[in-house]
């Protein structure tokens, strides 16, 4: 497995951006049916960056066992959003980054080979991508995700009110917008193509547990299938380290291993 630390200029953001990429070295044995590598875009949390998964988990070892490339971008505290007062990070993540990654590495562009996951803020970002672009992602996973962002704006677990306003605008602009995962679930319900697989987990001692229960209830009400795992755990790496292994085992990875 090769760990590649990469800096490049983003035209979308008008700044230099960092990513870490894990690329299987024995690609002739680990490529998918398309002749290129399946890929997991793995997203960081609010107070972290593109180094977080490498520093705090054994994602390199787990990904090597599965023969999958892992791309870890850095987006600051943007909530993976085209910010109200700030930079267009969601456009970067959804449009520019995949093009750059496929130009630099032998990454498949097939929907069947493309997955996204993240923890905390990254769980929100992962579900946002999967719900927004069901034609691009075969699976999306959220670990302790901040999924009910409208409730947070309204005061539930909102420890950053001014920052969220800078990102999303006020709550009237957020609710029912493409930044509202509940609105995106409504849209997905009407989508007639193949829907992504979804995986969700959150520890019962996590401060975002109620967010996750609200998201799960809406998914059940809409008939959107979500693989869900419950159990004890807090908002920390003691919980996320084993759960990322569960995610990799759950992903529908097609390889020649």
């Amino acid at each position: 497995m090769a760990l590649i630390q990469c800096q490049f200029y983003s035209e979308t953001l008008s700044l230099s951006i960092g990513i870490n990429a894990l690329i299987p070295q024995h690609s002739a044995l680990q490529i998918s049916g398309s002749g290129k590598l399946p890929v997991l875009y793995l997203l960081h949390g609010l107070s972290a960056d593109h180094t977080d998964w490498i520093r705090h988990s054994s994602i390199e070892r787990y990904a090597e066992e599965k023969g999958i490339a892992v791309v870890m971008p850095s987006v600051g505290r943007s909530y993976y959003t085209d910010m109200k007062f700030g930079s267009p990070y969601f456009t970067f993540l959804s449009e520019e980054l995949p093009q750059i990654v496929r130009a630099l590495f032998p990454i498949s562009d097939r929907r069947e080979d493309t997955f996204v996951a993240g923890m905390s803020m990254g769980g929100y970002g992962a579900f946002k991508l999967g719900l927004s672009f069901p034609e691009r992602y075969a699976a999306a996973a959220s670990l302790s995700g901040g999924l009910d962002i409208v409730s947070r704006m309204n005061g539930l677990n909102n420890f950053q009110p001014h920052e969220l306003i800078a990102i999303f605008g006020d709550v009237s602009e957020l609710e029912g917008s493409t930044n509202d995962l509940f609105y995106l679930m409504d849209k997905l319900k009407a989508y007639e193509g193949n829907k992504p697989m979804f995986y969700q987990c959150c520890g019962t001692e996590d401060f975002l547990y109620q967010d996750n229960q609200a998201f799960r209830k809406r998914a059940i009400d809409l008939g959107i299938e979500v693989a869900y795992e419950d159990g004890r755990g807090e908002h920390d790496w003691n919980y996320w380290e084993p759960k990322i292994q569960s995610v990799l085992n759950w992903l529908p990875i097609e390889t020649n291993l």
Side-chain angles (χ1 to χ4, degrees):
M1 202 71 159
L3 168 60
I4 300 171
Q5 299 169 312
C6 181
Q7 293 285 140
F8 59 85
Y9 182 79
S10 164
E11 294 184 2
T12 302
L13 300 173
S14 298
L15 57 80
S16 178
I17 201 79
I19 66 169
N20 277 348
L22 296 169
I23 307 296
Q25 289 180 260
H26 305 295
S27 57
L29 298 176
Q30 298 174 305
I31 56 177
S32 72
S34 69
K36 294 189 175 181
L37 291 164
V39 61
L40 172 66
Y41 290 92
L42 188 57
L43 310 182
H44 66 76
L46 181 66
S47 300
D49 62 15
H50 59 294
T51 68
D52 217 36
W53 281 100
I54 294 292
R55 293 170 58 209
H56 296 292
S57 79
S58 296
I59 184 61
E60 180 174 357
R61 179 161 53 88
Y62 307 145
E64 184 172 28
E65 292 170 356
K66 296 295 182 180
I68 187 172
V70 181
V71 174
M72 295 158 279
S74 186
V75 302
R77 296 171 66 90
S78 68
Y79 266 86
Y80 300 91
T81 292
D82 287 351
M83 302 167 68
K84 175 76 173 181
F85 302 103
S87 298
Y89 278 97
F90 189 65
T91 298
F92 162 74
L93 184 73
S94 61
E95 304 296 338
E96 186 180 22
L97 179 64
Q99 294 179 31
I100 290 174
V101 165
R102 290 194 292 265
L104 293 174
F105 310 116
I107 298 298
S108 173
D109 62 359
R110 297 197 317 160
R111 176 186 184 273
E112 295 84 352
D113 298 327
T114 306
F115 318 111
V116 61
M119 56 84 171
S120 194
M121 180 184 78
Y124 166 85
F127 272 7
K128 185 177 176 181
L129 282 171
L131 291 166
S132 299
F133 301 110
E135 74 281 6
R136 300 185 192 177
Y137 297 92
S142 168
L143 288 67
S144 311
L147 305 181
D148 188 359
I149 199 67
V150 172
S151 290
R152 291 197 66 188
M153 287 283 287
N154 279 324
L156 177 65
N157 293 324
N158 189 1
F159 53 85
Q160 54 192 101
H162 300 300
E163 187 173 26
L164 289 180
I165 289 171
I167 294 168
F168 297 108
D170 63 39
V171 70
S172 65
E173 294 175 89
L174 170 60
E175 190 168 10
S177 76
T178 54
N179 291 321
D180 178 359
L181 299 188
F182 290 66
Y183 168 76
L184 292 176
M185 277 195 284
D186 291 339
K187 285 190 64 178
L188 185 70
K189 175 66 175 177
Y191 180 69
E192 296 183 355
N194 291 328
K195 295 177 174 62
M197 297 168 53
F198 292 97
Y199 170 98
Q200 178 191 3
C201 65
C202 187
T204 51
E205 286 69 48
D206 196 307
F207 74 97
L208 291 176
Y209 184 71
Q210 293 306 317
D211 284 44
N212 278 264
Q213 294 308 300
F215 181 94
R216 185 184 181 211
K217 181 179 184 305
R218 175 64 72 89
I220 291 171
D221 290 346
L222 292 174
I224 296 173
E225 294 187 18
V226 178
Y228 180 79
E229 287 192 30
D230 209 335
R232 293 184 61 83
E234 298 185 11
H235 202 75
D236 58 30
W237 286 100
N238 292 323
Y239 184 78
W240 301 322
E241 162 70 17
K243 290 304 182 185
I244 194 59
Q245 297 177 66
S246 299
V247 169
L248 287 169
N249 289 331
W250 166 82
L251 288 178
I253 302 171
E254 300 175 6
T255 71
N256 293 326
L257 281 171

